[in-house]
Amino acid sequence: QVQLVESGGGLVQAGGSLRLSCEASLRAFSTYAMGWFRQAPGKEREFVARIKWGGRDTDYAAFVKGRFTISRDDAKNTMYLQMNSLKPEDTAVYYCAASRVWVTASANRYDYWGQGTQVTVSS
């Protein structure tokens, strides 16, 4: 059974940093594109960042460019999201997801999802 488990969320002050991890029990993890999405209360889930198999290609939502960095360690079946300069509007549940395709960042092209980890940024 495929499992994606996020960790690293928590409460941080504005301007602070957090590092999220997503450990996946995926066979052939290295062949999947991985992504981070988030959902704030009362809002739809939105794309944050993604990283292609091989780790050389990445893609970010405009609102996190320059602040967040996505990476992966295929030897550990783990993906990361380093979040710096956090803002109160970054408060959300953050989800990791795995996709067999790279063609789009749309959530409906992701095959597996984690349960999410809460990130709260206080002002």
Side-chain angles (χ1 to χ4, degrees):
Q1 183 175 353
V2 174
Q3 276 192 313
L4 277 63
V5 180
E6 303 94 338
S7 62
L11 174 64
V12 64
Q13 288 190 331
S17 298
L18 283 173
R19 187 194 195 202
L20 304 184
S21 299
C22 170
E23 186 171 358
S25 63
L26 266 174
R27 291 183 67 182
F29 172 83
S30 63
T31 67
Y32 282 80
M34 300 295 296
W36 288 100
F37 292 77
R38 70 186 188 185
Q39 188 166 19
K43 294 188 176 181
E44 293 188 352
R45 189 172 298 192
E46 61 182 355
F47 166 74
V48 175
R50 60 178 177 150
I51 185 166
K52 198 174 183 180
W53 46 84
R56 292 178 63 181
D57 294 301
T58 58
D59 185 21
Y60 294 91
F63 55 78
V64 303
K65 278 184 180 177
R67 300 190 298 126
F68 292 9
T69 303
I70 190 170
S71 61
R72 64 189 296 161
D73 184 341
D74 289 345
K76 296 182 179 179
N77 275 27
T78 300
M79 173 182 63
Y80 305 97
L81 186 69
Q82 178 66 43
M83 305 188 295
N84 299 328
S85 302
L86 282 161
K87 305 175 182 180
E89 51 263 44
D90 293 319
T91 295
V93 177
Y94 283 72
Y95 299 89
C96 69
S99 174
R100 294 182 178 91
V101 300
W102 179 251
V103 63
T104 175
S106 175
N108 62 15
R109 297 307 302 269
Y110 282 77
D111 305 290
Y112 303 105
W113 290 83
Q115 299 280 12
T117 186
Q118 176 70 47
V119 171
T120 303
V121 185
S122 63
S123 56

